[in-house]
Structures are given as C-alpha cells and as structure tokens.
Amino acid sequence: MIQIEDMRLAAALLREPSLSAAARALDVTPPALSMRLRKLETALGLSLATRTARRLSLTPEGERFAREAAALLGQIEGLRESMQRDDRRLTGTLRIAAPFGYGRQYIAPMLARFARLHPGLHMQLDLRETPWPDRHDADAVIHIGTVRDSSWVARTLSANERWLCASPDYLRLRGTPRVPRDVMAHDCICIRENDEDVTLWHLRPARAKASAGPGARAAARETLRISPAYVTNDGAVARQWAENGMGLVLRSEWDAAEAVARGTLVRVLPGWLFDSAPVTLLVPSRKGRTARVQAIVEFLVESFGPFTEKQPRAYP
C-alpha cells in the first residue's frame, strides 16, 4: 500500500535537483532516502529513477507517479484547510516562483506584506531564470512575457513595455538612431532568457496603435535581426552594460524606468513600440485550488490594481 511518506518522497524527488537535496528537504540522510526509494520501487514493481554518480533522474513512470503524488498531497492539504473552523487563518506552505530580478525587487516585498497578514503561513519564494514552464511544485508563478500552451489559469497583473535604451555617453559617441534600420549600425546587448529568439526584434509606430486598424498596424510593423555585440542571461547585467556605454539594450520597462528617470539611460526610438512582456500570474485551475492560493491571487490582483493596456507602469 502506498503511504503518504511515499508520496512525499516522490514529490521531493520531482522538485529537488538531486537525491541529497531531496534528503535535506525531507530531513533524512541520502542513504536512508535511497533505501526508501528502493522499497517503493519494489512495492510498485517499477523503476522510478535512474541513478548515476552525480545525479538522479526520474523515469517517465517515476515522473508520472511524482506529479500525481504531488497533486494528491495538495488535495489532502486542501481538505485539511477546508475543515478548519476559522477559514481566515491560513496555514501550510505557499510556494511562489518568480524571475530573479523582478521577483527580488517587487514580488519579495509584496510577499513580506502578505506574510504579515497571515502569520500561520509558511512562505517559499523560488527565484529562477525561467519560472515558467519550469514550475516544479510551485503553487503560483509570476511570469514576464507571453504565455503559450498553458493548462494553468493566466491572469495579467500589469502591462510592461520593452524600451530600447542606451547611455548618454554612448549616444554622443555613436549617434542616436532615428528610424529602426539605424539600429543595425550599433552595438546591441541581448538577454538570453525563456528560450526566446532574442536577436529578432519586432516594433511598430506608436501612433499606429490608436489611429489605425489591425491591417494598417500590421503593415507598419518592422522586424530587425540583430547581431549582438554582447549577450548575457542576466537582465541586470545587460542594463548595467548599457549604463556603462557598451551599446543599445532592449529591456523591460520595470527595470529600465528608474535608470531613465535618473539619466543614466536614455530611451531610444520612443515613437516606436516593441513587443511587450506583460507581468502574468499563473495558478492552477479553480478546481482543487487551496485557500492559500486563492488568497495570494486576490492579494496580488488588489496590490497591482485594475489592469488596462494603457497602464503606465509595469510594477506596483
């Protein structure tokens, strides 16, 4: 018979990068965890994981078992919550995944306020390069950009334009692009993230957004294929390089706005709109959603305020 401890073991192996990390999460030794895994495999008559000297990987059967076990554990926790007399008192662990920069700068302070409202709740914030779709066991995910092929419910929290920026010194030395094709003569800084084609930039005149129909806007759309002079997977590094005069950078408004305000960056081609990257909250469907997940959804929506496409800022 499968025990709750077996499900917790499988769920830990799904979300942790190694056997030793899973052992730490469950507060047992790696040899003890390995023995428990072998006993579970024997009971099921299945191989749940492959082991090498450096890592442990779940087999397809192991991954299926672990995902279903994690879902069942969530349902059990939700049942416990539903039986509490005081529905306003949240308990258990709430796991949020968010991008490194945005999560550190904006989501972490918001979660601190949420934690003060619910002292019985344990909070876990996982900052990742790609929180979606690499969500592991997160209860909710903050994603910057367009979401495709999601079985989770996506809710846009805030607009977030992308701004092309450079330092004043760089523009004095190299000149300021006046039209999109001028960008091709400049050093460009690209950010490699979310498996996107970061060297392909789409843009359209800002005036076309309101004054023209869909056909006219599509006709006015331009595409630039950039040959980057510098590439990094860290947005903060890319912005710093631009502030240091190394080239043009296409950066989210939430990260570039402060530098533009203090004058270390200048917005280039302000009359053009690049593809936006809205701030999106992703949570499981309402069926089986726990009270703590519903509470964080309501809190974040209220904190960001009503969303409209004309919202001037991409951060709370």
Side-chain angles (χ1 to χ4, degrees), residues 169-213:
D169 289 342
Y170 176 88
L171 296 176
R172 279 192 293 268
L173 180 65
R174 299 288 298 273
T176 300
R178 302 299 178 187
V179 294
R181 63 177 177 271
D182 291 346
V183 172
M184 306 301 292
H186 285 263
D187 293 334
C188 293
I189 304 165
C190 286
I191 306 162
R192 185 181 64 253
E193 57 185 356
N194 296 335
D195 295 325
E196 295 179 358
D197 188 350
V198 298
T199 65
L200 193 64
W201 294 354
H202 301 286
L203 64 166
R204 66 186 189 279
R207 63 181 179 276
K209 183 177 182 180
S211 63

Side-chain angles (χ1 to χ4, degrees), residues 116-130:
R116 286 195 291 270
L117 296 174
H118 303 284
L121 191 64
H122 297 283
M123 300 290 300
Q124 180 175 315
L125 175 60
D126 292 328
L127 300 180
R128 303 172 185 164
E129 182 180 347
T130 54

Side-chain angles (χ1 to χ4, degrees), residues 7-305:
M7 293 190 289
R8 288 174 177 159
L9 164 63
L13 293 176
L14 179 66
R15 69 174 181 265
E16 301 296 342
S18 66
L19 183 69
S20 58
R24 287 194 297 271
L26 296 174
D27 196 23
V28 298
T29 65
L33 188 63
S34 183
M35 182 179 297
R36 284 172 52 182
L37 177 58
R38 287 195 298 271
K39 289 182 178 179
L40 177 58
E41 289 178 322
T42 300
L44 294 174
L46 294 171
S47 174
L48 300 178
T50 58
R51 306 159 181 80
T52 66
R54 294 187 176 181
R55 61 175 301 176
L56 178 144
S57 300
L58 291 176
T59 63
E61 294 80 7
E63 184 171 348
R64 177 188 171 189
F65 179 83
R67 291 193 183 281
E68 294 188 7
L72 286 172
L73 288 170
Q75 291 177 16
I76 293 171
E77 182 63 24
L79 176 62
R80 187 180 69 83
E81 287 183 359
S82 69
M83 300 301 293
Q84 291 177 341
R85 291 185 178 180
D86 186 358
D87 291 335
R88 295 170 297 175
R89 184 176 182 272
L90 299 180
T91 60
T93 300
L94 180 64
R95 301 175 180 87
I96 308 295
F100 281 110
Y102 193 84
R104 185 182 303 112
Q105 192 165 348
Y106 298 111
I107 300 302
M110 296 176 75
L111 293 184
R113 296 198 300 272
F114 183 75
R116 286 195 291 270
L117 296 174
H118 303 284
L121 191 64
H122 297 283
M123 300 290 300
Q124 180 175 315
L125 175 60
D126 292 328
L127 300 180
R128 303 172 185 164
E129 182 180 347
T130 54
W132 185 267
D134 185 25
R135 61 183 181 269
H136 292 290
D137 64 338
D139 297 305
V141 176
I142 302 295
H143 177 73
I144 307 295
T146 304
V147 178
R148 300 178 180 89
D149 301 326
S150 171
S151 61
W152 283 23
V153 177
R155 178 155 188 168
T156 302
L157 295 175
S158 177
N160 178 35
E161 291 185 6
R162 283 188 170 118
W163 290 358
L164 186 64
C165 300
S167 72
D169 289 342
Y170 176 88
L171 296 176
R172 279 192 293 268
L173 180 65
R174 299 288 298 273
T176 300
R178 302 299 178 187
V179 294
R181 63 177 177 271
D182 291 346
V183 172
M184 306 301 292
H186 285 263
D187 293 334
C188 293
I189 304 165
C190 286
I191 306 162
R192 185 181 64 253
E193 57 185 356
N194 296 335
D195 295 325
E196 295 179 358
D197 188 350
V198 298
T199 65
L200 193 64
W201 294 354
H202 301 286
L203 64 166
R204 66 186 189 279
R207 63 181 179 276
K209 183 177 182 180
S211 63
R217 290 198 297 269
R221 189 177 177 88
E222 295 201 23
T223 299
L224 301 176
R225 173 62 75 178
I226 304 302
S227 296
Y230 310 100
V231 178
T232 176
N233 67 338
D234 189 290
V237 169
R239 189 198 67 246
Q240 291 167 5
W241 283 352
E243 290 182 85
N244 291 336
M246 293 171 62
L248 304 174
V249 68
L250 185 61
R251 191 70 189 118
S252 285
E253 176 189 356
W254 71 263
D255 187 47
E258 183 178 346
V260 170
R262 65 174 179 259
T264 57
L265 286 179
V266 175
R267 191 175 175 187
V268 178
L269 297 177
W272 291 79
L273 296 175
F274 291 79
D275 285 346
S276 64
V279 180
T280 304
L281 171 65
L282 292 130
V283 291
S285 62
R286 288 187 178 276
K287 183 179 180 180
R289 187 183 299 178
T290 65
R292 55 181 177 269
V293 171
Q294 184 60 35
I296 192 62
V297 170
E298 294 172 357
F299 176 82
L300 290 174
V301 169
E302 181 180 354
S303 297
F304 277 86

